[in-house]
């Protein structure tokens, strides 16, 4: 045994356990708004931060110590103060738009909420239904707000020539696996002459979507609860979108066939899906591959298997995506990468 190699590996495991724990603390800092408050104060004590945030000082103090030990924040003993560097605040606060990485740490707890059910699947097979995950749709919607909503009008729509003009004139649009419907609602607000429909399997995110539609008094949008494996929409669409919602379907192959049949001959399918390979060896240098294979095991694969589906997993790969799109009948497939979103590929697809 190479003892230096063994020691190095043990050290990396200590680092891993520390960072896993810190991810939980970062998620708490995000949900309580502590990062945002710290960025406003810059320098603070546990008492001044707790008072400013309206939180319990004992918990804030212990959390600050975890943050200082993890080098997320800096501190001094004389005077006893903590300091949140603006270089760190840029990636942990809401104010800084699309760079807030704190929100993604919430996925760790979403996955942890089904750990025991996933454990059972290792013995018995099968899957875990969406309803078992705590806060999945809430965190997903927050993720989408940052990854899709912010760049939707300026960066995503222009991937399809003339689309903005067509939306302004008035077209039919469908979003599959819409979750809380954030992208359709934003488009419905911006393009009142077009009509939008969002489809999702789960009741909970659709309730939230309908509530937002009511609040905003939108009349050009509707949401339907349906299993896309068997759902056949009435009429044809000029645009169909899927944001991170094909690989974890029960039957992506059947869904893509439905998309093909539901598009106008001149229509476009915009599919945002994970940018990775179906081959492990090609993902080894992928900066997010351990996270993506974990999300796959704990969520994307298992929610599909829970529906009796194919369970392709998060890293079904752009190779399989291309094959399935062609098998569904599509002949024109263009892959796009956008700088704000290193996790995804934006497929622009036509008949
Ligand atoms: C990863 S989430 C993406 C949600 C949304 N597009 C977003 O970006 O926030 C995938 C969505 O697909 C939905 N879904 C999964 N299987 C489905 C099925 N068989 N029929 C309809 N929707 C399904 C889930 O309920 C979930 O809301």
């Amino acid at each position: 045994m190479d003892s230096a190699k063994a020691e190095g590996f043990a050290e990396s495991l200590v680092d891993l356990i520390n960072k896993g724990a810190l991810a939980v603390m970062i998620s708490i800092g995000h949900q309580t708004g502590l990062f945002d408050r710290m960025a406003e104060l810059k320098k603070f004590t546990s008492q001044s931060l707790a008072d400013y945030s309206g939180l319990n000082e004992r918990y804030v103090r212990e959390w600050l110590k975890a943050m200082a030990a993890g080098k997320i924040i800096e501190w001094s003993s004389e005077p006893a103060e903590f300091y949140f560097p603006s270089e760190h605040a840029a990636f942990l606060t809401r104010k800084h738009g699309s760079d807030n990485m704190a929100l993604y740490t919430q996925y760790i707890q979403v996955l942890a909420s089904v750990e025991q059910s996933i454990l059972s699947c290792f013995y018995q097979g099968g899957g875990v239904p969406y309803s078992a995950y705590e806060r999945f749709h809430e965190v997903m919607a927050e993720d989408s707000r940052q990854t899709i909503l912010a760049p939707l009008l300026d960066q995503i729509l222009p991937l399809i020539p003339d689309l903005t003009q067509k939306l302004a004139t008035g077209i039919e649009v469908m979003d599959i696996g819409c979750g809380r419907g954030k992208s359709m609602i934003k488009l419905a607000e911006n393009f009142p002459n077009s009509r939008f429909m969002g489809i999702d399997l789960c009741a909970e995110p659709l309730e939230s979507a309908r509530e937002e539609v009511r609040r905003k008094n939108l009349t050009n949008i509707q949401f339907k609860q349906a299993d896309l494996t068997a759902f056949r929409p009435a009429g044809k669409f000029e645009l169909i979108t899927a944001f991170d919602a094909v690989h974890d379907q029960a039957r992506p192959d059947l869904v893509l066939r439905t998309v093909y049949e539901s598009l106008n001959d001149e229509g476009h399918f915009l599919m945002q899906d994970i940018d990775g390979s179906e081959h492990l060896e090609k993902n080894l240098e992928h900066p997010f591959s351990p996270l993506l294979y974990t999300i796959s095991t704990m969520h994307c694969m298992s929610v599909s298997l829970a529906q009796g589906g194919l369970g392709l997993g998060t890293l079904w790969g752009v190779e399989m995506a291309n094959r399935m799109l062609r098998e569904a009948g599509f002949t024109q497939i263009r892959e796009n990468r956008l700088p704000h979103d290193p996790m995804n590929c934006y497929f622009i697809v036509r008949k």
Side-chain angles (χ1 to χ4, degrees):
M1 180 160 116
D2 178 341
S3 57
K5 186 174 177 180
E7 213 169 290
F9 183 63
E11 274 170 23
S12 76
L13 287 179
V14 171
D15 186 46
L16 178 150
I17 295 165
N18 274 324
K19 286 182 173 150
L22 271 183
V24 177
M25 290 281 100
I26 291 176
S27 170
I28 294 218
H30 174 72
Q31 291 175 68
T32 51
L34 274 167
F35 287 123
D36 301 306
R37 302 294 84 75
M38 289 198 303
E40 286 154 18
L41 292 176
K42 290 201 172 63
K43 270 198 175 117
F44 39 85
T45 61
S46 59
Q47 190 64 60
S48 66
L49 178 62
D51 290 347
Y52 187 61
S53 312
L55 296 169
N56 179 282
E57 189 277 335
R58 182 67 193 95
Y59 277 85
V60 170
R61 194 185 341 145
E62 209 65 6
W63 179 83
L64 282 171
K65 288 178 183 174
M67 291 292 103
K71 300 190 169 48
I72 306 292
I73 62 174
E74 294 164 9
W75 69 288
S76 66
S77 49
E78 301 259 341
E81 265 182 345
F82 296 94
Y83 171 67
F84 192 26
S86 52
E87 295 82 359
H88 294 195
F91 297 101
L92 292 169
T93 50
R94 291 172 171 83
K95 200 161 95 187
H96 291 275
S98 63
D99 290 331
N100 183 8
M101 295 200 198
L103 86 82
Y104 303 114
T105 59
Q106 295 176 100
Y107 281 118
I108 308 290
Q109 280 66 247
V110 171
L111 302 182
S113 72
V114 296
E115 186 195 47
Q116 295 307 308
S117 307
I118 295 286
L119 214 56
S120 300
C121 294
F122 273 78
Y123 296 97
Q124 294 152 17
V128 178
Y130 277 94
S131 56
Y133 292 79
E134 276 174 28
R135 298 184 67 238
F136 170 74
H137 294 290
E138 183 187 339
V139 175
M140 187 71 232
E142 198 182 345
D143 179 349
S144 304
R145 251 199 308 272
Q146 180 158 293
T147 318
I148 300 166
L149 283 208
L152 185 59
L153 303 182
D154 298 341
Q155 293 176 56
I156 299 177
L157 295 187
L159 293 174
I160 301 177
D162 301 331
L163 179 59
T164 303
Q165 185 51 46
K166 283 182 185 165
L167 283 163
T169 307
I171 57 173
E172 301 287 331
V173 182
M174 175 168 72
D175 185 38
I176 59 171
C178 64
R180 290 194 173 185
K182 296 283 172 200
S183 47
M184 286 302 100
I185 291 173
K186 177 153 184 171
L187 291 181
E189 283 178 291
N190 279 275
F191 300 104
N193 293 334
S194 287
R195 286 156 304 282
F196 300 88
M197 180 162 75
I199 311 289
D200 203 279
L201 179 69
C202 301
E204 188 244 282
L206 296 178
E207 276 301 301
S208 154
R210 290 190 187 111
E211 166 55 29
E212 190 172 346
V213 165
R214 272 193 296 276
R215 214 171 351 102
K216 294 182 167 168
N217 262 327
L218 297 171
T219 54
N220 57 338
I221 182 165
Q222 55 170 315
F223 289 99
K224 274 196 173 70
Q225 185 179 3
D227 181 348
L228 283 158
T229 313
F231 178 70
R232 300 282 174 277
K236 299 267 187 185
F237 298 84
E238 181 74 25
L239 174 68
I240 300 181
T241 55
F243 294 104
D244 193 13
V246 175
H247 66 267
D248 49 8
Q249 288 288 319
R251 292 293 304 267
D253 53 344
L254 301 182
V255 174
L256 292 177
R257 184 70 201 162
T258 302
V259 170
Y260 180 86
E261 285 165 0
S262 309
L263 265 189
N264 283 339
D265 288 343
E266 297 306 310
H268 285 86
F269 176 39
L270 163 58
M271 179 174 87
Q272 179 223 32
D273 216 291
I274 300 297
D275 190 16
S277 171
E278 64 184 340
H279 304 293
L280 171 61
E281 63 273 21
K282 291 190 180 166
N283 291 327
L284 293 180
E285 297 306 314
H286 192 303
F288 296 107
S289 61
L291 173 67
L292 290 172
Y293 282 119
T294 303
I295 290 181
S296 189
T297 313
M298 305 286 291
H299 180 79
C300 299
M301 180 184 79
S302 55
V303 290
S304 174
L305 292 174
Q307 299 173 55
L310 299 177
L312 298 181
T314 315
L315 283 160
W316 64 324
V318 293
E319 302 92 342
M320 188 185 287
N322 272 281
R323 275 200 310 277
M324 276 199 176
L325 286 163
R326 290 199 188 279
E327 281 161 17
F330 291 108
T331 61
Q332 304 177 55
I333 304 167
R334 185 160 49 87
E335 292 178 16
N336 301 271
R337 271 91 189 171
L338 294 175
H340 81 281
D341 185 4
M343 200 79 106
N344 289 294
C345 177
Y346 291 76
F347 296 87
I348 305 298
V349 184
R350 300 187 71 184
K351 286 192 173 177

